[in-house]
Amino acid sequence: MILLFAGLRFFLEEVILYNITGKHNYFFDVPLSKLVSNYAWDSFYYTLRVCLVSAVVCLFFRYNENKEEIYHLQIEQEKAKLSALKSQISPHFLFNTLNNFYEELYDDKPKTAGDILKLSKLLRYVTYETNEDLVLVNKEITFIEDYLYFFKRRYEDNFHVQLHIDGFVHNLKIPSLILIHFVENVCKHGIINDKNRPANITLTINDNTLELRTKNHISTSDTYTEPGIGTKNIEQRLGFIYKDSFILDYQKNDNLFEAYLKLTL
């Protein structure tokens, strides 16, 4: 760029303008070699700063491109690990086994059989239907309800997580297994067995927006204070899909933790 600028400037000022005005740019007669030398140093002085700035800008964009590429490679690596895990345990064999259990228990223990059917649907959803980047919102909601159901079975009447769903679910699609991340954090790290301090999960759906709010007291036996690696991956994934059309926020006040997610669909 420096040499190109010097050559172009020399041609414009010492060839074209000189033929028109009859005067050199420096307004004194010097040998041609001296004139070329002056132009080289002069151009170097003026263009070096521009070249440095442009180089820094270029490296910045290259860095972001490489960072994004590395992130996608990590995602592909995780998908490969998941595929390898699936191949080790045949899902078809697993689901057939669960169906056999369901049929055997249907008459004698219908409640247990129903639980096996729910578990089979839950595993089938994770195994097959989340291979796509986007899934229907109603399927994610069903998955969350089944997930919470098994926690309720575990804690029985001592499970205090309130799920509220407002709005009509259209044929909206969202990234798969995004919402469950927040629900899982509530169940794993929050207090969910105290009726005086219930956890709240609110999902609000409009025509083109989806909002998720979670609020729970933090378990004193847990180190659940700051978003971890999973949260960073969720944020990167949302940034890749929605660019700036999403809001992700976490608030921790004393022993109370709140999470907020808004997607513009």
Side-chain angles (χ1 to χ4, degrees):
M1 288 179 62
I2 294 173
L3 294 175
L4 179 62
F5 178 76
L8 181 62
R9 181 170 171 235
F10 181 85
F11 176 76
L12 290 175
E13 294 179 352
E14 298 302 328
V15 177
I16 296 178
L17 290 180
Y18 178 76
N19 288 331
I20 296 174
T21 63
K23 295 181 179 179
H24 291 292
N25 179 48
Y26 291 96
F27 297 105
F28 56 84
D29 292 329
V30 295
L32 180 61
S33 60
K34 182 66 174 177
L35 188 62
V36 171
S37 176
N38 288 340
Y39 267 90
W41 283 107
D42 206 16
S43 299
F44 177 79
Y45 173 76
Y46 285 109
T47 57
L48 180 61
R49 290 171 294 178
V50 178
C51 287
L52 289 176
V53 172
S54 63
V56 171
V57 173
C58 179
L59 290 174
F60 173 76
F61 282 106
R62 288 285 182 86
Y63 169 77
N64 284 337
E65 290 174 1
N66 292 336
K67 185 178 179 181
E68 186 172 318
E69 184 177 354
I70 290 173
Y71 169 69
H72 289 301
L73 288 175
Q74 291 174 341
I75 293 294
E76 292 301 323
Q77 184 182 17
E78 293 301 320
K79 288 183 178 179
K81 290 180 180 178
L82 180 59
S83 297
L85 179 61
K86 291 178 181 178
S87 64
Q88 292 175 11
I89 303 176
S90 172
H92 184 69
F93 169 78
L94 177 62
F95 294 134
N96 282 344
T97 303
L98 289 175
N99 287 336
N100 290 335
F101 290 158
Y102 170 76
E103 293 175 359
E104 291 176 3
L105 296 171
Y106 182 77
D107 293 329
D108 297 332
K109 296 183 178 180
K111 186 174 180 61
T112 303
D115 290 346
I116 291 176
L117 184 61
K118 279 184 178 291
L119 177 61
S120 177
K121 290 181 179 179
L122 190 147
L123 294 176
R124 189 180 299 274
Y125 178 76
V126 174
T127 303
Y128 292 123
E129 300 191 39
T130 57
N131 291 330
E132 300 294 331
D133 290 332
L134 299 177
V135 297
L136 292 172
V137 175
N138 61 340
K139 291 186 176 181
E140 284 285 291
I141 292 176
T142 301
F143 178 71
I144 290 173
E145 290 174 339
D146 289 343
Y147 179 86
L148 292 176
Y149 172 81
F150 284 106
F151 267 90
K152 187 175 182 179
R153 285 279 285 155
R154 174 186 175 186
Y155 287 91
E156 298 180 346
D157 295 334
N158 204 30
F159 181 68
H160 301 284
V161 175
Q162 300 173 356
L163 175 64
H164 307 279
I165 301 175
D166 299 324
F168 179 74
V169 180
H170 303 277
N171 292 325
L172 299 177
K173 289 188 174 183
I174 59 174
S176 60
L177 302 179
I178 286 289
L179 302 183
I180 192 62
H181 164 78
F182 300 92
V183 177
E184 184 181 24
N185 279 347
V186 171
C187 293
K188 290 179 62 177
H189 305 292
I191 296 176
I192 57 177
N193 58 350
D194 186 348
K195 65 178 181 180
N196 296 320
R197 294 181 293 176
N200 289 278
I201 303 170
T202 303
L203 182 64
T204 305
I205 305 167
N206 296 315
D207 290 337
N208 60 347
T209 60
L210 181 146
E211 294 179 271
L212 177 69
R213 292 180 173 86
T214 66
K215 184 177 181 181
N216 62 274
H217 289 81
I218 303 171
S219 174
T220 55
S221 62
D222 203 292
T223 57
Y224 175 54
T225 55
E226 298 294 337
I229 296 175
T231 299
K232 292 179 181 178
N233 289 339
I234 290 292
E235 187 171 2
Q236 287 178 328
R237 189 178 172 199
L238 291 173
F240 176 73
I241 297 175
Y242 293 100
K243 307 301 181 185
D244 296 326
S245 300
F246 78 97
I247 299 174
L248 181 59
D249 183 56
Y250 297 91
Q251 298 290 333
K252 180 180 178 292
N253 296 314
D254 295 330
N255 201 38
L256 193 65
F257 188 86
E258 297 180 66
Y260 174 73
L261 172 67
K262 180 178 180 180
L263 303 177
T264 302
L265 307 173

